[in-house]
Amino acid sequence: VSYMLGIAELYMPIFEQEIDRMGLPQELKYLPVIESALNPTAVSRMGAKGLWQFIISTSRAYGLVSNNYVEERYDPIKSTRAALEYLKDLYEMFGNWELALASYNCGPGNVNKAIKRAGGVKDFWSIYPYLPNETRGYVPAFIAANYIMNYYCDHNICPVNTTLPMGTDTIQVCRNVRMERISALCNIEEEELRRLNPQYRTNLIPGHIRPCTLRMPTAAINAFIEAGDSIYV
């Protein structure tokens, strides 16, 4: 929890901005706490990936790209937008946030089966006995995550300092550029650059295929812009 509180300073502003943009409940920003412990490169035993733990079929349905160059399930911004779109669709399907969250975990098909077995009642606690075991604990875990991320001081828990910079911004790259080149010209360690941009599978950022987002400290972005064409492959 201490680590998540520390790393939350980097990720929560991303979640909050997208949640505000879509007009959704701010409590949803704590869902990645139980999905991935705020680890952008988390991988489940079933192959779900990223902060929001997308399986490949759902990620593709919501526009995320997975290929030899990029894994957008690891992209904090794009995966957040896709996850919130999915949650919004689930809410519109069930009209209930607890059922939407349960569906996020086990799929809408399993929730619909549980509703039928419960006599058609659309209430999480009514269908609770008919849900998969993992999903029964999922909504309570989400409630617990909301509690602990807000009331950690009451339990003598303190955020730890992390090595990731908090003052970051993004820039769009429309041409190929290599991370080692960015590192050399923008005064940023390559390891830090990779941690801020976990979606790229190799050192090549393939801007020639489609515009790519690059996250860096503000000073590095200014240096990137000043370097002009000399920074590109």
Side-chain angles (χ1 to χ4, degrees):
V1 172
S2 293
Y3 173 77
M4 286 191 291
L5 288 166
I7 204 71
E9 294 185 33
L10 177 63
Y11 294 118
M12 287 301 162
I14 296 172
F15 303 158
E16 290 166 0
Q17 180 178 343
E18 294 302 323
I19 288 170
D20 273 344
R21 183 179 63 83
M22 295 181 64
L24 299 177
Q26 277 293 334
E27 288 83 357
L28 294 175
K29 67 186 178 185
Y30 298 120
L31 192 58
V33 169
I34 61 171
E35 283 288 349
S36 62
L38 297 182
N39 176 5
T41 58
V43 181
S44 77
R45 63 183 183 277
M46 300 300 292
K49 292 184 177 182
L51 288 163
W52 298 87
Q53 288 293 280
F54 270 111
I55 59 173
I56 190 68
S57 58
T58 308
S59 71
R60 285 175 175 166
Y62 283 84
L64 297 180
V65 174
S66 298
N67 58 35
N68 291 335
Y69 294 106
V70 297
E71 174 53 86
E72 290 186 344
R73 288 179 288 176
Y74 290 160
D75 187 316
I77 297 174
K78 291 184 178 180
S79 67
T80 296
R81 290 172 181 166
L84 294 175
E85 288 285 356
Y86 184 35
L87 285 162
K88 183 179 180 181
D89 288 346
L90 292 171
Y91 177 74
E92 290 175 354
M93 187 183 301
F94 293 103
N96 178 304
W97 278 113
E98 290 176 340
L99 294 183
L101 290 166
S103 298
Y104 191 91
N105 178 251
C106 69
N110 284 319
V111 171
N112 276 321
K113 288 178 185 176
I115 289 171
K116 289 180 181 178
R117 293 181 68 187
V121 180
K122 290 188 175 182
D123 172 74
F124 176 78
W125 301 106
S126 297
I127 71 170
Y128 180 91
Y130 308 108
L131 291 168
N133 286 336
E134 180 183 329
T135 309
R136 293 179 193 177
Y138 189 78
V139 171
F142 173 74
I143 295 169
N146 270 268
Y147 174 82
I148 198 62
M149 295 297 282
N150 283 286
Y151 296 100
Y152 54 90
C153 285
D154 294 349
H155 301 276
N156 298 317
I157 300 173
C158 299
V160 299
N161 293 324
T162 64
T163 56
L164 285 173
M166 298 306 158
T168 65
D169 206 343
T170 59
I171 188 171
Q172 289 290 105
V173 177
C174 297
R175 294 160 62 183
N176 285 358
V177 60
R178 301 196 69 86
M179 288 197 178
E180 58 266 30
R181 186 70 173 164
I182 298 170
S183 175
L185 296 182
C186 298
N187 193 29
I188 179 173
E189 293 291 333
E190 192 173 330
E191 181 181 351
E192 180 181 353
L193 186 61
R194 293 195 66 84
R195 284 193 296 159
L196 287 171
N197 299 276
Q199 65 269 32
Y200 299 113
R201 291 182 179 270
T202 71
N203 280 1
L204 176 68
I205 299 172
H208 73 290
I209 298 175
R210 57 189 294 194
C212 292
T213 301
L214 185 64
R215 178 171 291 275
M216 293 189 291
T218 305
I221 287 180
N222 292 336
F224 186 102
I225 295 170
E226 290 172 4
D229 288 345
S230 65
I231 203 165
Y232 293 101
V233 174

